[in-house]
Structure formats: structure tokens, C-alpha cells
Amino acid sequence: MSNVVRLHKEAPSDEGVSIDTPSQDTQDTLTETVIDVVQDAEPRPVDPPEQKAPEGTWIAERQAYLADAPPVVPAALRRWDVFKATTRWTVSYYAHVTGFHTLRAPVYLARLLLRAPRGTGRLLVRWGKWVADTEARPVEAKAAASADIEAWLALSREHSRRVRPRRIASLAVATVTGITTAVAAFLVPGWTAAAALTAAALAGLNGKKNDRPLITRYVARNVMRRLDSTEVFDALAAIGIEGKKGKRGVEFASEVMRDGPGWRAEVDLPPGVEATAVLEKRAALAAAMRRPISTVWPEADRTAHPGRLVLWVAQRDPAKAGRKLWPLMRDGQADVYQPLPFGFDPRGNLVEMTLIYSNLLVGGIPGSGKTSCALAIVLGVALDPTAELWIYELKGSGDLDSVRPLCHRYVSGDEDEDLDAALAGLRSGIAEYQRRAKFIKSLPASEVPEGRKVTRALAEKYPEQQLGPRVIVIDEIQELFTDADRKEEAAALCTRLIKKGRAYGLILIMLTQNPDAPSLPTSVSSSVGTRLALAVLDWRANNNILGTGAYDRGLRATDISVDEQGTGILARGRDGVTVRAAFIKQTEAEDIAKRALALRTAAGTLSGQSVGEQVTELDVETVVDHLRAIWPDGVEAVHSHRLVDALARFRPDLYKPWLDMDAAGASTALSGALKPFRVATKQLTIRECCGGAKGVRWADVPAVEDGE
């Protein structure tokens, strides 16, 4: 007996459930689900059995073939980039082998000539044994020893029949060869010498020694052994990643396969173990595998699940690999609105960097390759003729002098005037984003379908507005953040520009070789969208660049050696990739910059210092903006004399003269400066500070607005 339970999906209450007999009329199947409940039914498995063809049949064999069948078209022919890479590798390999042995051909000939006497002796001994038919001697001796006269006589006659023609032939060949050689030595001595040299070389082939090969063999010391499953299992077990007793352990999601210049293994870790547990022990994993740490690259596959580990092991040590050329080295043009070529990952794949609508922070200890990174970034921007470059190289070394002729503003040095110029450039960036914000705000929504931000289409539609990307590069920015008179303003300007300028095409690139907390304010580092950490010494510096918790997530620039110059962790958000910046020599940088200068000249986009103009950095910030920058968090009111002291430290060029006044005069000066903005100073009693005095309430300070 069975009952039919009909559940009405449209009914919100229990009234939607009714029990009817099977004979009752069935309602609309689009609004109900019918479940048959059979009494005393046998239990059924939850997972339905997999439908397979009977084993041993033709269909089963064909299905087994298709399950592991290789692709019809090889990978090298399906993708043009893979085909080019494979062809290039094959040609370069055989060209290298040919050139390698061609250059050493005289050495090989000398070795053959040195072995010629031994080879000639071996040939003469072999010839003498053939003429004397020595292989038959043991048989004759056995017949003589057994006193078998008939057998001995038969063998003797056979021996004479075989030896006589050989002696005659040998004597004839020797006579003809001797006469021919003597005559040729007088008539054609050159050909005779060449023939003798060739004969000696051929004889030398028979004089080889087993322990000393003729051909020089190249032994690649940085080529690693092939990766296999046993090594992966053992290495993971050695670092404590293995299944507990009675539970599932490490399982392979696919076979170990070739992946570029190395091998790739996809592993499902034991239940409850995340891939980050392996990332945290990368050094220990490499030690367990007995491989250089620069060849072992574990990463998590978040598209599968948190416990999926992708382990890539290089066939050759990437740290000792040859240089790969930057894609724009010889020709090409860049677009800042698109990803720019930057460097290569350990597999040799190109890694691109997106700058638009983002900002970049690069940090690492001295000697970690910051200059290589800066060149790859700046030259990429330079090859976009619509991008405006403002560079402040506060080390004064001239590492970026190659792009000086095409920069709108270029400053190199670490003097006070250079630091002031960098601050002025940041202020000008604030003014520029406010100008652009006003224009974008005035456009109808139909012209900004992707949001109110600068796009390539807008920049091309309104060329008179000059909406091209403005890229501000500050190298050694810690010089600003550690200067007592400038650090507060520098931090405030950078934070504001990072947060609000990115939507309007303003890009701030900061490079530092001192990524500690005092040299890198939290308000700045926490706001940057794209980060690149080169070699650092501890987890604090690592997290200062890559963000809080990066070290625990396995993004560890501490594992990078300072000898691996230009290598770092490139992160945007929570995920990161190991990348080595394309190495560009200074002479090559100059050639690229000349090409970029020609592009800008043809496009008519040169401006500022590049055309001999005096660059004036605009500063549209007011005393109200400065009050917002120095106002203590959570404080409702502050006395005027305290605000004057803070403003003088923040902008000494503007407010330091107020310190020469008495308290009343300084308070009056502040009141006069705030009056145009309708901010009044009032008598305030603040017991925590110093009683009653003139001051300002935070509620009276106007709120900031984009484009103000």
C-alpha cells in the first residue's frame, strides 16, 4: 500500500500540504511536487549506480580508450604561442648543440690523432689474426690432442685453403697501397696529406678508451630530476601533511604532468587541511624534496577548494636561468588602460601589471632589485604616448634618467628642494583629480555607463580636457615619510590621492627600500591596491607591503634571496604571484626611451619639462583641507593654539610664521583664515587640555566633497 503526499509550493502554511489517494485528480504539476511514500520498502542507496558498459565488451574497451586518449592535435599545434615557443626551443637547442661541437671539432681531431697509434696497432693485430685464421687454431689443437688424425688432416687442409688466398690478397693490397702512396706523395702531396690525416683519424676511432669519451659532454648541474608521486607523498609526510589513521590522506587530483619548464602536481590534501598549511612550510617542503627552494612553488587552487594544492617544480633552477626579454624591448606600444608587461613567473610565463584605477607600492631591502622593477614599470608607461609622467627620484642616483627627456616633470636628488618638489607634485595631483572630478560629475549618465571615472573613450572624446593618465612615481618615498617637517603632510597627501585620485586617472607609484612601520605609514600602505614585495628580512616588513595577514596566507617575500634581484611577490587583494621583473640594461632603457619620445612627438603629447616649459605645481588645498588632515581622531573640539602648532608642523611653508606671534595673534590669524569658509572660532572650555580659550569645533568644519 502506498500514499501520495502532495506539497503545494505556493502555499505558505501547512494548509498547502494534503494527503490524497492515488485515484484523486492530479493538480497542475508546475505548482506541486509529488512524493510517493511506500510502506515497508527496502532501503535504497543514496547514490545511484554509475551506468557502465559490461567489462570486456567492445564498448567498454572504447570507453577506456577515450578516458585516457591523447589529444588528436598536439598542444604545440593547437595554440600559436605554444607552437612558437616549442619551435623556438627546438631551433635554439639544435643550434646550440651544433655550434657547441663545431667549435670543439679541432679538439676532437687532435684526440683522434693522439689515439691513431693505438688504433693502428689494434687494426694490424686484427688483420694479422684474420690472415692467420687464428680462430681455427683451438679446433686444430683439440683434434691433435685427441689423436684424431682424420679430423686433424681435414682441418689442416681447410686451414690452408682459407689462409692462402688471404695472404695473397693482403700482399697485393699492401703492394698497391705502398706504390700508390709513394707516387701520390710526389704528384699530389696536399691530397695525400689529407688522405693520411683522414686515415689516421679513422684509425683513432679504434683507439678509444672506455673511461675517456671522445666527445665533450655537457652535464647540466642545475637540471633537476623528474617529479613523481612518491616524492610528493614523502615530502608532504615529512612536513606533517598526511592523513590520520583511519582517514583519507593525500590524494592526486590528476596525474603529474609537464607544465612549461617543469612539472605540475595537483593534490587534494587530507580533509580539513588547507593548502596554506603547505605554503607556510615551503622551505621545509623544498628541504624534504632535496631541491633548491627557488625550484619549488606550491600554491592554492581556490577555484577548486581550499584543500587543493598545486605544486610546480622547475626542471632548471629559475635563479640560474637566462634572461627573458621584455616584450616591448624591440618594438611595440603600451596602453596604461590595459595591463602592462612587467616580468615573468617561475614557469617563464609573462606577468602583466594593471595600474589604472589602482596604485602601486614596491618595497624591499637594498640590493633586492628595486631599480629593475622601476625601469620595467616606468618604461611601460612611457610607451603610452597619452600618459603623463611625473617622476621624483629622491635617491639622486639617476637610475631613471633614461626617461627624463619625455617626462612632464622630473626631479632627481635628496636635498630639501627635491623633497619640497615631491610634495608640490602630490598637491598638484590633488588639484588635478578635483578638476577632473568636476568635469566627470557634469556629464550625463549615458556618457559614463561604467561609473563616474575617466576612461580611454572619455579621454579621446574630450581631448581638450586632458584626461590622459597622470602617473606620479616617487622613488625612495621613505625620505618624505621620515622627514620631521614633511611626514605628516606627505602621508595625508598620499592617502588622499590613493583613495580618490585613482578613479580619475591619477596613479601613484611608490618605491621604498625601508618598508618598516615608521617609513611606511599605515594609512598609506593599507590603501594601495597593487603591491610588490621584493626580498625582505622579517614578517613585519612583509606585511607592511603586502597587507595584514599576508605572511600567514603564504605570501612570503622573506623566502626570496637578495641574490634573486627583481624577484618578488606581486599581490592585488588577497592573492599573489611570484614574479621576476624583466631585466632591462641602462643602455637598452635609453633606446626604449628614445622610441617612446618619438611616439610622443608624433602624437603631439609632449608637455612640461620635455618641451622646455616651467612646470608649476598647482595647490588648491585650503586651510580647511589642512585642518581635516591634522585633526585628531574622535576629538570634538580643539583650541586654536594647538591647531596652529599642528598646522605649522604640517605645512611649515604656510603656517610657520604664525608661531612667531603670541597666542592671541596666532588665534586671530587662524580665525581670519577660516572666516571665508564660514568656520568660526569660539570660546571653548576643554578640561582635558588647558581650560578656556578660543578654538574650533569639528562639527563646524565643512565635509570634504569630490571635486570641491
Side-chain angles (χ1 to χ4, degrees), residues 549-566:
Y551 188 86
D552 294 333
R553 295 196 304 273
L555 303 181
R556 298 185 174 184
T558 54
D559 292 340
I560 299 173
S561 171
V562 70
D563 296 331
E564 301 176 77
Q565 293 189 351

Side-chain angles (χ1 to χ4, degrees), residues 343-380:
F344 304 92
D345 66 8
R347 296 170 173 82
N349 300 322
L350 178 66
V351 175
E352 297 178 320
M353 180 180 293
T354 301
L355 294 179
I356 196 66
Y357 312 130
S358 182
N359 300 277
L360 176 63
L361 172 63
V362 180
I365 60 177
S368 58
K370 188 164 51 64
T371 300
S372 298
C373 299
L375 276 177
I377 297 167
V378 169
L379 290 173

Side-chain angles (χ1 to χ4, degrees), residues 448-686:
V448 285
E450 300 177 6
R452 296 199 175 274
K453 59 183 181 182
V454 172
T455 61
R456 174 67 72 188
L458 279 181
E460 293 176 349
K461 185 175 182 178
Y462 300 99
E464 72 282 357
Q465 293 294 328
Q466 298 180 349
L467 298 177
R470 176 184 291 192
V471 182
I472 304 174
V473 182
I474 305 180
D475 191 10
E476 307 295 349
I477 197 169
Q478 76 275 358
E479 297 294 330
L480 288 178
F481 293 146
T482 57
D483 186 274
D485 297 330
R486 300 176 179 87
K487 61 182 180 180
E488 294 183 6
E489 182 187 5
L493 290 173
C494 288
T495 303
R496 188 174 180 188
L497 189 61
I498 289 170
K499 290 182 176 180
K500 298 194 173 183
R502 64 182 188 86
Y504 305 108
L506 276 294
I507 302 169
L508 179 60
I509 299 176
M510 301 170 289
L511 301 102
T512 178
Q513 62 175 334
N514 197 19
D516 56 10
S519 304
L520 195 58
T522 304
S523 61
V524 175
S525 61
S526 62
S527 304
V528 178
T530 306
R531 305 140 183 269
L532 175 62
L534 305 175
V536 295
L537 296 180
D538 55 39
W539 65 270
R540 295 180 181 84
N542 185 88
N543 287 355
N544 284 341
I545 302 171
L546 297 178
T548 303
Y551 188 86
D552 294 333
R553 295 196 304 273
L555 303 181
R556 298 185 174 184
T558 54
D559 292 340
I560 299 173
S561 171
V562 70
D563 296 331
E564 301 176 77
Q565 293 189 351
T567 302
I569 307 294
L570 178 63
R572 189 165 189 178
R574 292 180 57 86
D575 298 327
V577 61
T578 301
V579 59
R580 186 175 191 177
F583 178 69
I584 303 173
K585 300 177 182 178
Q586 287 292 342
T587 53
E588 295 170 336
E590 292 176 358
D591 294 338
I592 296 171
K594 290 177 182 177
R595 196 168 84 243
L597 181 62
L599 287 173
R600 292 168 181 264
T601 303
T605 55
L606 289 174
S607 61
Q609 290 182 195
S610 61
V611 293
E613 296 178 355
Q614 183 67 31
V615 178
T616 302
E617 287 92 348
L618 299 177
D619 183 8
V620 297
E621 287 197 327
T622 65
V623 65
V624 175
D625 297 316
H626 302 154
L627 272 184
R628 296 193 199 100
I630 57 93
W631 197 277
D633 292 338
V635 177
E636 296 181 358
V638 181
H639 283 151
S640 294
H641 67 274
R642 290 179 58 197
L643 292 176
V644 169
D645 290 341
L647 288 171
R649 289 195 301 271
F650 182 69
R651 289 292 300 272
D653 56 324
L654 296 178
Y655 305 112
K656 195 171 183 179
W658 291 4
L659 296 179
D660 298 332
M661 306 177 184
D662 56 13
S667 178
T668 302
L670 177 62
S671 177
L674 292 174
K675 189 173 182 180
F677 303 97
R678 298 180 181 179
V679 179
T681 57
K682 302 176 182 179
Q683 186 70 22
L684 301 175
T685 300
I686 306 176

Side-chain angles (χ1 to χ4, degrees), residues 138-171:
V139 180
E140 294 179 12
K142 185 176 180 180
S146 62
D148 189 348
I149 298 175
E150 294 183 2
W152 181 85
L153 289 173
L155 291 172
S156 179
R157 286 192 298 269
E158 181 64 22
H159 174 74
S160 299
R161 188 184 67 80
R162 296 175 61 186
V163 168
R164 181 180 177 82
R166 294 181 183 183
R167 289 175 179 174
I168 295 173
S170 299
L171 182 61

